[in-house]
Amino acid sequence: MAALLSLRDYDSDSEGSNSEQDQNDGFNAHLQPLDKSNSISSSMMLVSAPEVESNTDSSGIRHLDPLTKEVKYNPKYEELYAPQVGPSNPNLTQQAQAERNTLAGFAEPSHFNDFQFENQRRTFTSYGYAMDPSINKEVVEEKLVGDTGTAEELKGVTVFEKKPQKVEKRKREKNTDPSDIGGYLGPWGKFVDEKTVMRPSEEEQKELDEILAKRSKAGRSTDDKTLEEKTTLHIKDPFDYQGRSFLHPPQDVGVNLRSEEPPEKCFLPKKQIFTWTGHTKGVSAIRWFPRYAHLLLSCSMDAKIKIWEVYNDRRCVRTYLGHKQAVRDVQFNNSGTEFLSCAYDRYCKLWDTETGQCKARFTNRKVPYCVRFHPEEDKQHLFVAGTSDKKIVCWDIRTDEIVQEYDRHLGAVNTITFVDQNRRFVSTSDDKSLRVWEWDIPVDFKYIADPSMHSMPAVTLSPNGKWLACQSMDNKVCVFDVLNRFKFMRKKTFKGHMVAGYACGIDFSPEMSYISCGDADGKVYIWDWKSTKLYSKFKAHDDVCISVLWHPHETSKMATAGWDGVIKYWD
């Protein structure tokens, strides 16, 4: 406030008393020039109201702040593109004064195609060259950067273009005269430089001989050699006091084993009464001795085949050892004196049940999955085997030769079942189909396949020969009517078990009141045949229950086999 008063007094009129002026001079002494006679000193005198240029622009243009985000009026063209006004910072460098819209400088907005960018990047990565991105194509011709030598060879192609190939067409021998019947070639003439017979040179022949010699030494041929068959008798005396072998059915067991009629009524098994142990790995299949069922034949993944007593001491009678790999299936002939076995070592072998002698060996270098004797008495010398090469092969035991091949399946053959008084047989395969064949005619006359069907690796014919029960891989037991052109019985499906991935066998009770099978959890499921109602299920094995067999002469006896290596007997 004092400063404003002093300035006012400094500019006020000089009229007044001398004493006041002297007093004011004393107050304003620091505002007076040091030397009034000096022009420089007098020019530095403070002016409280200097002349300032007017804010109003004479051009009448309203200037916009460059940082303005929104303009609330319609500016003119001259206002939008007018130069920026205002003081500039003299302390900024030339680089800092330059216009920029990013931290590093000024970036012009540009657009490029993502595909073209990726195309050039991959081309540079693969071939070592790419288009120069710094050149404006409208002004200057295109230029490649990188490995220009490779670019010249490939003619600048990118990775998304075909490389130029130098294709020189081979010349053919020509004779287009159709009147020349013997020498006319047409478009089928061979090439001029074509060699129809190629023989290795002496050096190449030596190399080939050395390779063949090494292969023979490596022991590849030893795989073709069969294992020497052996057998072990586990009982002291194979004959009884009358000279009868263990194949003779016992007569003191309280059951008429010679009866041809099934029991009148069967009952559900309730408890386990015996366990046969002896296999070291999972059991693949079990078979009753034909007609009498006083013996039980089993084959296992430990490459052994064993036969067991069903009555009395229930001992292991004999072990047959002749396969190098897991045994897949076994099958008795009608009398039970012989049986066939097939294994993953690609051999089918014919055994004498009583002596354990291997009578014959059969192989076509493919894995047999199932074997079946022809059930007719006059054709017991023939058997069929379903193999991994989609064929069903018929062997003649007398000549050890293949007499027929049924080659229509599109996958490995899993089962073979004789039906219709043994005049036909049914086969299932991994191709999810069921085919019916006339015996000795290699063309299937019935082909059953549906998009909803699954593979059926286990098939059983009912005791009366009217129904065919198939274990389907969608956890169902499907039934086909044999007498009615193999019609699929949609209402006869048995569900509740879990068998996906396993060929769990099915079996009917002797009088056709129940149907049963195992499952992947080791359980046994028993359904009522007429109502398809699940009557019973119980835990039988620690691993997959692969086979279930009802005893043909007992009312409630059942044998089960599992991948835990155990065979159990239930009542």
Side-chain angles (χ1 to χ4, degrees):
M1 194 65 185
L4 292 174
L5 291 173
S6 58
L7 286 173
R8 185 192 63 183
D9 295 338
Y10 178 76
D11 290 332
S12 63
D13 193 7
S14 58
E15 294 180 356
S17 59
N18 293 332
S19 60
E20 291 180 359
Q21 187 171 0
D22 294 340
Q23 187 178 1
N24 290 335
D25 291 341
F27 281 119
N28 302 324
H30 64 287
L31 299 175
Q32 301 296 329
L34 299 177
D35 188 3
K36 295 182 180 180
S37 60
N38 190 348
S39 61
I40 297 176
S41 178
S42 61
S43 63
M44 292 176 63
M45 184 168 40
L46 180 63
V47 180
S48 59
E51 293 182 1
V52 181
E53 292 185 1
S54 174
N55 289 332
T56 58
D57 193 351
S58 59
S59 62
I61 296 176
R62 293 172 293 183
H63 295 282
L64 298 175
D65 188 356
L67 302 178
T68 302
K69 299 294 184 182
E70 181 181 1
V71 180
K72 296 185 178 181
Y73 61 91
N74 293 331
K76 297 180 180 179
Y77 175 84
E78 294 81 3
E79 294 174 354
L80 280 176
Y81 293 95
Q84 292 186 8
V85 296
S88 60
N89 191 346
N91 298 323
L92 295 178
T93 61
Q94 185 179 1
Q95 182 180 0
Q97 289 178 357
E99 184 180 358
R100 56 181 178 175
N101 56 3
T102 63
L103 190 63
F106 183 80
E108 294 182 358
S110 61
H111 172 75
F112 56 88
N113 192 309
D114 292 338
F115 171 75
Q116 294 296 340
F117 178 82
E118 190 66 18
N119 187 11
Q120 295 300 323
R121 187 189 69 81
R122 292 190 183 185
T123 304
F124 189 82
T125 304
S126 302
Y127 301 153
Y129 64 86
M131 299 296 298
D132 189 353
S134 62
I135 294 178
N136 188 354
K137 298 179 182 179
E138 297 179 356
V139 181
V140 186
E141 293 183 358
E142 296 179 352
K143 182 182 178 183
L144 295 174
V145 293
D147 190 355
T148 55
T150 306
E152 291 179 359
E153 293 180 5
L154 301 179
K155 298 182 180 179
V157 297
T158 62
V159 290
F160 290 96
E161 299 172 351
K162 289 185 178 180
K163 293 182 180 179
Q165 298 178 354
K166 297 180 180 179
V167 180
E168 296 181 0
K169 290 188 177 181
R170 299 169 65 186
K171 296 182 179 180
R172 290 181 178 271
E173 296 179 356
K174 292 184 178 181
N175 184 358
T176 56
D177 184 9
S179 61
D180 186 2
I181 298 175
Y184 176 69
L185 297 176
W188 305 284
K190 65 179 182 180
F191 294 106
V192 175
D193 55 347
E194 182 179 356
K195 295 180 181 179
T196 55
V197 179
M198 293 289 289
R199 291 182 180 179
S201 62
E202 294 182 359
E203 296 179 356
E204 292 174 345
Q205 187 64 44
K206 288 181 181 179
E207 292 180 359
L208 292 173
D209 293 340
E210 291 177 0
I211 293 172
L212 294 175
K214 288 180 180 178
R215 286 183 180 176
S216 61
K217 289 181 181 178
R220 289 194 174 187
S221 59
T222 58
D223 294 339
D224 298 335
K225 295 181 181 178
T226 60
L227 187 68
E228 183 182 356
E229 292 82 7
K230 298 178 182 178
T231 182
T232 305
L233 185 68
H234 299 286
I235 56 178
K236 292 183 179 179
D237 193 357
F239 303 99
D240 61 3
Y241 67 97
Q242 291 185 345
R244 298 174 298 188
S245 70
F246 61 88
L247 299 184
H248 187 77
Q251 299 176 353
D252 56 348
V253 295
V255 180
N256 184 12
L257 299 179
R258 298 178 184 273
S259 173
E260 295 183 358
E261 296 294 328
E264 292 184 0
K265 176 63 178 174
C266 287
F267 304 95
L268 299 176
K270 296 294 180 63
K271 62 180 180 179
Q272 176 185 341
I273 59 175
F274 194 75
T275 302
W276 287 287
T277 58
H279 287 294
T280 56
K281 292 183 180 179
V283 180
S284 303
I286 53 176
R287 297 281 184 267
W288 293 121
F289 192 85
R291 184 180 175 185
Y292 307 120
H294 67 290
L295 296 173
L296 186 67
L297 186 69
S298 66
C299 61
S300 170
M301 300 176 190
D302 59 3
K304 295 178 182 178
I305 305 167
K306 292 179 181 287
I307 192 166
W308 315 79
E309 289 179 339
V310 179
Y311 295 98
N312 297 326
D313 296 334
R314 297 192 172 108
R315 300 167 294 178
C316 178
V317 181
R318 187 179 284 277
T319 299
Y320 310 87
L321 183 62
H323 289 286
K324 292 192 293 183
Q325 297 184 30
V327 185
R328 170 76 185 229
D329 194 14
V330 287
Q331 181 70 27
F332 278 111
N333 63 357
N334 288 354
S335 62
T337 56
E338 297 175 345
F339 69 88
L340 281 166
S341 65
C342 64
Y344 285 100
D345 59 359
R346 301 174 183 173
Y347 274 89
C348 295
K349 296 192 177 185
L350 179 66
W351 302 83
D352 186 287
T353 310
E354 183 179 344
T355 63
Q357 176 190 359
C358 181
K359 291 186 173 182
R361 307 169 193 86
F362 311 91
T363 181
N364 63 343
R365 307 310 305 147
K366 304 297 178 184
V367 178
Y369 285 162
C370 58
V371 286
R372 292 290 181 274
F373 275 105
H374 195 287
E376 293 296 322
E377 288 294 340
D378 58 341
K379 296 179 181 177
Q380 285 281 285
H381 59 279
L382 300 173
F383 75 91
V384 286
T387 59
S388 59
D389 65 340
K390 315 171 190 177
K391 295 180 182 179
I392 301 172
V393 184
C394 181
W395 294 85
D396 192 334
I397 295 174
R398 301 171 299 184
T399 60
D400 294 352
E401 292 181 355
I402 296 175
V403 295
Q404 187 63 271
E405 278 189 358
Y406 305 85
D407 184 11
R408 300 279 286 181
H409 275 293
L410 304 176
V413 181
N414 293 321
T415 64
I416 298 172
T417 309
F418 282 88
V419 297
D420 195 12
Q421 299 178 358
N422 305 322
R423 292 175 296 189
R424 302 169 178 172
F425 65 91
V426 178
S427 63
T428 62
S429 166
D430 286 343
D431 60 5
K432 304 179 182 180
S433 70
L434 184 145
R435 296 175 190 258
V436 187
W437 313 75
E438 291 280 356
W439 176 254
D440 215 16
I441 298 178
V443 178
D444 52 324
F445 77 91
K446 184 75 174 179
Y447 171 68
I448 301 173
D450 187 79
S452 62
M453 282 179 60
H454 287 69
S455 177
M456 296 179 288
V459 176
T460 302
L461 184 68
S462 64
N464 57 14
K466 294 180 180 179
W467 311 98
L468 200 69
C470 305
Q471 185 74 267
S472 180
M473 284 290 96
D474 57 347
N475 301 322
K476 294 179 184 177
V477 176
C478 301
V479 178
F480 294 88
D481 189 350
V482 176
L483 303 181
N484 190 10
R485 298 181 298 175
F486 294 90
K487 180 183 177 183
F488 175 55
M489 311 301 292
R490 296 189 179 276
K491 294 184 179 180
K492 282 281 187 192
T493 55
F494 303 89
K495 306 176 184 178
H497 58 313
M498 197 278 288
V499 292
Y502 302 95
C504 297
I506 314 167
D507 197 28
F508 291 86
S509 61
E511 93 296 9
M512 284 283 298
S513 60
Y514 303 110
I515 182 172
S516 61
C517 79
D519 84 333
D521 294 330
K523 295 178 182 177
V524 174
Y525 286 75
I526 304 175
W527 295 270
D528 180 50
W529 168 248
K530 291 184 178 179
S531 64
T532 70
K533 179 182 177 182
L534 179 62
Y535 270 178
S536 175
K537 69 174 180 177
F538 55 89
K539 182 76 172 178
H541 293 273
D542 296 333
D543 210 329
V544 180
C545 181
I546 200 69
S547 186
V548 174
L549 292 181
W550 288 81
H551 197 285
H553 301 293
E554 299 274 5
T555 56
S556 60
K557 296 287 197 307
M558 175 189 289
T560 63
W563 280 10
D564 52 2
V566 175
I567 304 169
K568 295 183 179 181
Y569 201 37
W570 304 80
D571 188 5

